[in-house]
Amino acid sequence: AMCLTGYMINPDTLVYSVSVPNLEYEENESIAYYNAPAIILQNIHNEKERDFLPIELFENADGKMYVTHEGFYYSSDLDLLFFASLKGYPYFELSDENHNVFEESFYNETPLYIVFDTDKKTVGRIGQLGKIHKDLRLGYTYCAPKITSRGTTIAVTDGTSGTIMIYEDNDYVKPLSTIEVFNISTDDFSIDSTLYGTDEYAYQFQDNFQNMIVDILMDSKNIYTLSIENGCYFKKTFNKKGKMKSMVLLPNSIDACQLEITGLCRVKNKVLVTGFYYDNKNHNMVLLD
């Protein structure tokens, strides 16, 4: 069993995504092992008070989309569940209509998250793949979505196009504003178009998608981003209209020890960067402003 992402719904209940073992007998009476994705709501004071929600309950919410528990997010302010969404090749061959990501019509609707309430009812979709994914005809390949919320405001990114979209909870269709954390275009790629329609077409770009929005957080005034750009980590602060207010280049070492930057966290109403390093004796955690 693997526990993945977790959030406290309230002081008593933890909700987290898991991959649990599913054992079945085959016809010859041998045992088959499968991974079963699920969501668990657990009372932290009573081990027996637990709700188990298989992801299969969500799969057919829309015939063209599939949700994955690996990108799970819970908003305590909105009491909503967000699951990263996928469709089309190379992930799922759900129908002839959306199998080929190289068709222009595929990109008419490419949400990043499917939204559910805690009764497992579909509320909507939010986010869109960035322009670079459409220009290169890559579908959801090289997509690493991130999402955060504060109050009724939601921030969503596909992670690799450098763009963050800001939405209000009452409108998932049109973003209020767009933030450009870094720029990327087809000019940054060498494209062999003779590979269209083959697995090798997507593989040719695996060294080009090194820049990434690693994490995002939000408070009442600002959007904070952690990004890796050309091998360097940056913490940037934007207002909700998309204007950058500050940018900090983060160190790659502490006391001659390699520093591993991992994400953003909120400590006493301040957004900090978390990092870890090993000094040959101890594993240490640091918080960077």
Side-chain angles (χ1 to χ4, degrees):
M2 293 181 290
C3 298
L4 300 172
T5 307
Y7 301 91
M8 292 300 298
I9 291 182
N10 55 51
D12 301 316
T13 308
L14 170 67
V15 58
Y16 58 101
S17 57
V18 296
S19 182
V20 293
N22 180 16
L23 303 180
E24 296 181 1
Y25 277 111
E26 299 286 6
E27 292 181 359
N28 60 1
E29 296 187 356
S30 61
I31 296 177
Y33 174 90
Y34 302 93
N35 287 321
I39 300 298
I40 291 178
L41 290 91
Q42 176 68 59
N43 186 310
I44 63 174
H45 308 295
N46 185 344
E47 183 178 346
K48 296 181 179 180
E49 192 173 323
R50 174 184 302 166
D51 289 327
F52 182 85
L53 307 179
I55 292 296
E56 285 76 13
L57 292 174
F58 302 128
E59 284 185 21
N60 297 320
D62 187 292
K64 298 180 182 179
M65 301 301 304
Y66 179 87
V67 300
T68 170
H69 65 316
E70 295 179 7
F72 165 69
Y73 174 76
Y74 171 74
S75 170
S76 57
D77 290 335
L78 301 171
D79 199 21
L80 294 175
L81 306 170
F82 296 81
F83 293 87
S85 58
L86 301 169
K87 72 173 183 177
Y89 178 85
Y91 298 101
F92 305 99
E93 299 178 23
L94 298 183
S95 71
D96 292 337
E97 179 181 354
N98 62 22
H99 169 69
N100 189 350
V101 301
F102 307 122
E103 295 295 333
E104 190 76 14
S105 60
F106 175 90
Y107 300 95
N108 291 339
E109 187 176 24
T110 52
L112 298 175
Y113 288 87
I114 308 297
V115 190
F116 298 87
D117 61 24
T118 51
D119 292 325
K120 304 185 291 294
K121 295 181 180 179
T122 307
V123 174
R125 308 172 180 186
I126 193 168
Q128 290 290 323
L129 281 178
K131 185 174 182 296
I132 190 63
H133 296 272
K134 179 178 180 179
D135 291 343
L136 293 177
R137 302 183 182 182
L138 285 172
Y140 285 80
T141 310
Y142 304 112
C143 177
K146 305 290 186 301
I147 186 168
T148 190
S149 66
R150 181 66 178 260
T152 60
T153 306
I154 307 166
V156 185
T157 176
D158 64 21
T160 49
S161 68
T163 303
I164 298 175
M165 290 156 283
I166 310 300
Y167 296 84
E168 276 297 314
D169 178 52
N170 58 1
D171 186 358
Y172 296 154
V173 177
K174 185 178 180 180
L176 288 174
S177 60
T178 300
I179 296 173
E180 297 293 336
V181 180
F182 58 80
N183 296 316
I184 187 171
S185 72
T186 53
D187 294 336
D188 301 319
F189 296 81
S190 176
I191 305 171
D192 184 352
S193 59
T194 65
L195 297 176
Y196 279 157
T198 69
D199 290 340
E200 287 74 17
Y201 175 76
Y203 294 155
Q204 68 178 315
F205 303 124
Q206 59 186 336
D207 293 330
N208 296 99
F209 281 97
Q210 300 300 314
N211 292 351
M212 183 178 297
I213 299 173
V214 178
D215 202 2
I216 53 177
L217 271 182
M218 186 188 313
D219 61 22
S220 59
K221 295 181 179 180
N222 301 315
I223 308 291
Y224 303 88
T225 69
L226 175 64
S227 60
I228 181 169
E229 304 172 35
N230 300 317
C232 298
Y233 282 91
F234 294 90
K235 177 192 174 187
K236 300 180 182 180
T237 304
F238 300 85
N239 65 24
K240 292 185 179 180
K241 293 183 178 180
K243 181 179 180 181
M244 186 165 67
K245 300 170 67 174
S246 67
M247 177 175 65
V248 177
L249 172 63
L250 299 166
N252 57 18
S253 64
I254 289 184
D255 297 330
C257 299
Q258 180 67 37
L259 180 63
E260 300 294 335
I261 302 295
T262 56
L264 299 171
C265 68
R266 186 177 288 107
V267 179
K268 294 182 179 180
N269 295 322
K270 194 171 185 179
V271 174
L272 304 173
V273 177
T274 58
F276 295 86
Y277 69 95
Y278 179 64
D279 61 7
N280 295 322
K281 292 183 179 180
N282 300 296
H283 292 278
N284 303 281
M285 176 182 178
V286 294
L287 297 175
L288 306 171
D289 197 348

